[in-house]
Amino acid sequence: LFRKGAALEALAWVDTVVLDKTGTLTLGQPEMTNFNAIDCDATEILRLVAAAESKSEHPIAEAIVRAARERGMEIPPVRVFKAEPGFGIEADVDGRRVQVGAGRYMERLGIDLKDVEARAGELAAKAKTPLYAAVDGQLAAVIAVTDPLKDGSPEAVGALHALGLEVAMLTGDNRGTAESIARQAGIDRVMAEVLPGQKADEVKRLQAGGKKVAFVGDGINDAPALAQADVGIAIGTGTDIAIEAADVVLMSGDLRGIVNAAGLSKRVLRAIWSNFFWAYAYNVVLIPVAAGVLYPLWGLLLNPMLAAGAMSASSVFVVTNSLRLRGFRPPIEGRHRVIQETIENIEQAA
């Protein structure tokens, strides 16, 4: 869905596509895969961590809470809760201070991660996001969650490359995890460990380097970046705020729609330029003739009826050339082709 007509033209000039990771490049449905307690009871620490995360709306928090419930744990109540976007959370559970978050959050708290750096590196190399839990100021666990790529993501990235576009990924994940996911998807550039409020700044930095940027996102914190980009593309299954800030909406949430939108945009731009050429060519050639430029040489004048016919022919040509866009076929038809075939089969059966 092109929400703004200007985006139909602007997308044809884009040379860099920046993809947000969670919920855009990936499914946005993370699962907890590892919970390694450090010198303490893993069951008790997971119970405390799950309680703290139960007050958060982040998909990773939901994954941890779900894993605890699948293990039959009862989640105790939380008295105090505080979240720092891009860093982590802090909660008071059963009189104990529980802090869960990324490595930068632990560093801010002054908690030493040297003993678990190697373990976290191994998890990141497997495209898992390492998190840390501290209880009463002491490191208590290393947690890993994974969020699989959407089925069409690698295909979409390859098709964008085929269109001559550079593809970048922007994420708040640590660099090791981000680079592992980028390798799986075939992405050129990685912008990792970016705080939610810095996404628009990263887009602005690319633009300052002469890039024409399309940003693709789905979350509330993606809205500033969507507005800053030359073309903002929102995932239709994302938040309403992201959709309102975007110029283009992928209604199905399938990243292959970006390729189809870019292909359509380039076709439209070619049609615009060819229409300009032929419209001006008619006028450049025939206006001097209508003005009598050939009369002194050969005594030729343009009959008014012929002039009117030529003008009509020019308009008919331009409109007909534009109608050729009805024959546009998406570069990646995917589910669109399947849906169309299903509709045709239903019509034939009826």
Side-chain angles (χ1 to χ4, degrees), residues 64-303:
I64 294 173
V65 173
R66 185 167 58 251
R69 285 177 173 156
E70 287 173 354
R71 288 165 170 78
M73 295 182 183
E74 291 188 9
I75 298 177
V78 176
R79 295 184 58 189
V80 180
F81 177 82
K82 182 175 67 175
E84 292 190 51
F87 286 89
I89 62 167
E90 179 177 336
D92 185 347
V93 183
D94 289 347
R96 306 186 72 178
R97 188 172 78 256
V98 181
Q99 295 160 312
V100 187
R104 54 178 171 265
Y105 185 45
M106 296 295 116
E107 291 173 7
R108 174 188 284 188
L109 297 174
I111 296 175
D112 190 1
L113 299 177
K114 289 182 179 178
D115 293 339
V116 294
E117 281 181 350
R119 189 181 306 174
E122 292 173 1
L123 294 171
K126 297 176 181 177
K128 298 178 181 181
T129 301
L131 301 170
Y132 307 90
V135 177
D136 295 329
Q138 299 296 318
L139 185 64
V142 178
I143 308 166
V145 295
T146 183
D147 189 6
L149 289 171
K150 290 181 178 178
D151 288 340
S153 292
E155 182 184 359
V157 171
L160 289 171
H161 284 150
L163 290 176
L165 301 175
E166 180 184 6
V167 183
M169 182 180 73
L170 190 152
T171 178
D173 260 345
N174 72 73
R175 181 158 294 278
T177 303
E179 289 180 348
S180 179
I181 292 173
R183 283 193 297 271
Q184 292 179 18
I187 288 173
D188 307 306
R189 179 187 298 195
V190 175
M191 292 174 280
E193 300 178 11
V194 178
L195 297 177
Q198 297 175 341
K199 292 184 177 182
D201 293 334
E202 290 295 322
V203 172
K204 193 180 297 183
R205 185 173 61 82
L206 289 172
Q207 291 171 324
K211 301 289 188 180
K212 295 291 184 182
V213 181
F215 179 81
V216 189
D218 73 321
I220 293 173
N221 56 26
D222 293 328
L226 288 166
Q228 174 62 42
D230 295 281
V231 180
I233 303 176
I235 303 297
T237 53
T239 63
D240 291 341
I241 292 176
I243 291 171
E244 286 298 318
D247 306 304
V248 182
V249 181
L250 304 181
M251 301 305 292
S252 69
D254 191 330
L255 284 186
R256 288 171 288 196
I258 304 171
V259 183
N260 296 336
L264 176 60
S265 180
K266 290 179 183 295
R267 277 286 301 275
V268 168
L269 193 62
R270 285 201 301 270
I272 290 172
W273 282 114
S274 61
N275 286 344
F276 269 123
F277 173 79
W278 288 110
Y280 276 102
Y282 269 87
N283 286 284
V284 167
V285 172
L286 294 181
I287 286 178
V289 175
V293 71
L294 299 180
Y295 184 76
L297 298 176
W298 296 288
L300 295 176
L301 291 173
L302 187 61
N303 186 292

